Amino acid sequence: MQQQEPEAGQRTGFWFGFASYAMWGLFPLYWPLLEPSDSMEILANRMLWSLVAVAAILIATRHWGWIRPLLRQPARLAMCAGAAAVVSVNWGVYIWGVNSGHVVETSLGYFINPLVTIAFGVLLLHERLRPAQWAAVGIGAAAVVVLTLGYGRLPWIALSLALTFAVYGLLKKKVGLSGLESLATETAFQFLPALGYVLWLAFSGQGTFGRTGDGYGWGHSGLLALSGLITAIPLLCFGAAAVRVPLTMLGLLQYLAPVFQFLLGLAVFHEEMPPARWAGFALVWAALALLTWDAVRQTRRNRSALQQAAAARAAQAAPSPDGAAVSG
């Protein structure tokens, strides 16, 4: 049986996990600082400088032994390219959503994401759901209907974020790289298109990076470049948490990011929340509460079953009264 991480290690892991999801949740405060750059320019710079940041980290830690084996596996590389394309859409929609005044709806996307991931498990991986999971998915579908009526349109920003992140998670699971390795590979695929776009903006006079005068300055360019480090740091914290805390704790911590985004949308950006939207969000939260309860209950059952199996094996191996070991 795997030895449990010591209590001090779990406590450290909890704070790493808290830090990672809190930083992701506070991202809506950062992207508006990059205006007047538009969403596409911000996205391209994030791609460029993320590769620079992650390459510096890999060099500093001398963690590059995984690169050569990956280059010999075309199928995994193709999935990495697919993941890069999907996460590019996710990043772009998210940045546009935040900078166009839809912070609350972007939070909805990450609230819905666990439900979409479960639906993918059923449709693509033919997984079987427990009754509570079916109920949660049903409540989530009802929430989308209520929110569509509340917004007067399909909440496409939220659905796009949820769908792209679910596809991204599925591809990452199949590729099997760590967070840092995955980010390095994906930004390597993104680098040339992003560089080409930034250069085109610069030569056409439409870019803001490196531009001075007209209200621009090196401070603005520095903030664009810093987007790479800001992308990498939460991933490092998440990686430190993932090896120290149980998966159930990480699953609960993941809700911090959309909670922070939702609160920022209300308290900082003063977005409207009419009754119909509150009703839709309440249904989503009810579905997530049901999922969380079911996951915790299932984890306890699995742990109890493992303990009973270990006790049975110990009883079988114990000496019999006549001194011989009991065998099955």
Side-chain angles (χ1 to χ4, degrees):
M1 185 174 170
Q2 187 176 3
Q3 186 178 2
Q4 292 293 318
E5 183 76 18
E7 185 177 346
Q10 286 201 17
R11 188 160 50 246
T12 302
F14 169 82
W15 287 113
F16 272 123
F18 182 91
S20 65
Y21 284 109
M23 282 186 275
W24 281 322
L26 294 174
F27 270 8
L29 294 176
Y30 187 74
W31 305 126
L33 298 178
L34 305 183
E35 294 177 334
S37 299
D38 63 21
S39 300
M40 285 297 295
E41 185 177 8
I42 294 171
L43 174 63
N45 275 277
R46 185 182 185 184
M47 293 173 176
L48 285 178
W49 297 108
S50 291
L51 181 59
V52 173
V54 78
I57 294 168
L58 291 175
I59 291 170
T61 58
R62 298 185 178 182
H63 181 60
W64 50 68
W66 56 275
I67 297 175
R68 186 172 294 177
L70 179 63
L71 293 175
R72 299 194 190 104
Q73 302 176 66
R76 287 183 79 196
L77 281 174
M79 285 188 285
C80 289
V86 172
V87 82
S88 297
V89 175
N90 184 273
W91 287 0
V93 171
Y94 181 68
I95 293 168
W96 182 87
V98 168
N99 283 3
S100 60
H102 299 283
V103 175
V104 169
E105 191 175 345
T106 64
S107 78
L108 176 63
Y110 294 107
F111 278 127
I112 293 176
N113 176 251
L115 301 172
V116 176
T117 300
I118 289 174
F120 275 20
V122 174
L123 297 174
L124 303 179
L125 304 179
H126 308 292
E127 295 177 356
R128 297 182 64 182
L129 297 188
R130 296 183 292 275
Q133 292 174 312
W134 276 116
V137 172
I139 295 171
V144 171
V145 173
V146 171
L147 286 163
T148 299
L149 296 174
Y151 278 104
R153 59 172 175 79
L154 198 67
W156 68 268
I157 297 173
L159 292 176
S160 298
L161 291 173
L163 287 169
T164 53
F165 203 73
V167 173
Y168 178 62
L170 184 65
L171 290 170
K172 279 175 66 72
K173 183 177 180 180
K174 289 182 176 295
V175 171
L177 293 174
S178 72
L180 190 63
E181 295 166 358
S182 179
L183 180 63
T185 308
E186 290 151 15
T187 51
F189 279 108
Q190 295 169 338
F191 184 79
L192 287 180
L195 178 62
Y197 184 71
V198 169
L199 291 175
W200 177 78
L201 287 176
F203 286 118
S204 64
Q206 300 177 55
T208 62
F209 181 81
R211 187 171 170 182
T212 56
D214 300 325
Y216 299 97
W218 289 110
H220 174 73
S221 298
L223 286 173
L224 282 171
L226 194 61
S227 64
L229 194 60
I230 284 176
T231 299
I233 288 176
L235 269 176
L236 291 176
C237 291
F238 176 80
V243 298
R244 289 176 171 87
V245 301
L247 191 60
T248 50
M249 185 180 291
L250 275 181
L252 293 173
L253 285 171
Q254 74 172 322
Y255 296 127
L256 280 175
V259 165
F260 279 25
Q261 292 166 20
F262 178 78
L263 293 176
L264 287 175
L266 293 184
V268 177
F269 298 100
H270 307 293
E271 295 184 15
E272 293 184 1
M273 279 292 288
R277 291 184 197 172
W278 278 113
F281 269 84
L283 285 172
V284 171
W285 294 331
L288 294 178
L290 184 58
L291 271 185
T292 302
W293 169 79
D294 180 67
V296 170
R297 183 184 63 166
Q298 189 63 31
T299 299
R300 288 176 178 171
R301 283 181 177 177
N302 292 343
R303 187 181 298 131
S304 177
L306 286 173
Q307 290 171 348
Q308 290 175 7
R313 286 195 299 270
Q316 286 181 340
S320 64
D322 59 1
V326 177
S327 60

